[in-house]
Amino acid sequence: MSTVATEGSTRGPAEIVLVRHGESLGNVADRAAIAAKAHRLDLPANDEMIDLSEEGQRQADALGRHLGRLPAEERPTVVISSPYQRARSTAERALAGLDLEVLLDERLRERELGIFDGVTWYGIKADHPEESDRRDRVGKFYYRPPGGESWADVVLRIRSLLVELQARYPGERVWLFSHEAVILAFRYVLEGLEVSRVLALQKEEPIANCSMTRYADRDGALELQARDDVSAIEDESAVTREPSHAEEGDQ
């Protein structure tokens, strides 16, 4: 059950749809690094500037065609994206056929990994064993890498964003383009999940690129209607997910 009340359709969005960005060059590099047990990803850009792969572009375009086929009463009325290039590009390509502005909100950005940006779990274990030990002591949800954010930090910005969405967009169909960790943070807040459950979901049910997780107002609360829905893209592009053993990040 949702923990965020909306008091019927008079308060808060009528619908929130969470879209993970299409496959990125970082996703491709991450899979290659994990396969090679490399310590770092081979990437030329910082996390903010990582763009879509060719497959990710196809996924975003397929989502756009899906949106174009929806009846007017089911299309988004408000679109907000993470400012990170892979999410912004996904939103812009998907919305190319609709007369909607893509708004940007930094609270939808990926979880910041600080000094571990671009470092694989193999690299952390080998080169920073003291941080690996500290993470084990503190616990994954509250562990904050040097210069980065904990999962709890991401949850705090999502709580802030939800309050603003409720106040600014009553009755609207709000689509948010973001990242895996952020979508899981939404699930944690909206569904009242236990910490252990939301962390298990990252490994057990990795979120597909360009998938949709949908919540709708039901009797004053936002309730989950669909999660990790890839029906919009699966007939036109590959469905891609992170390796289930990946420990950190969503490049």
Side-chain angles (χ1 to χ4, degrees), residues 28-38 120 122 243 245:
V28 175
D30 183 60
R31 289 196 293 270
I34 293 296
K37 297 187 177 181
T120 67
Y122 297 111
H245 57 277

Side-chain angles (χ1 to χ4, degrees), residues 24-72:
S24 72
L25 295 172
N27 296 144
V28 175
D30 183 60
R31 289 196 293 270
I34 293 296
K37 297 187 177 181
H39 289 193
R40 294 194 64 89
L41 279 63
D42 183 13
L43 286 170
N46 63 28
D47 196 32
E48 179 186 358
M49 299 308 297
I50 293 171
D51 210 339
L52 297 175
S53 67
E54 290 185 4
E55 188 61 57
Q57 293 174 28
R58 285 191 286 270
Q59 292 167 344
D61 293 343
L63 179 59
R65 288 187 287 274
H66 167 77
L67 285 171
R69 292 190 295 267
L70 290 178

Side-chain angles (χ1 to χ4, degrees), residues 174-195:
V174 179
W175 284 49
L176 306 174
F177 287 75
S178 192
H179 310 264
E180 183 176 40
V182 176
I183 293 171
L184 288 170
F186 270 99
R187 292 199 63 185
Y188 173 80
V189 174
L190 290 173
E191 299 170 44
L193 299 178
E194 297 288 339
V195 167

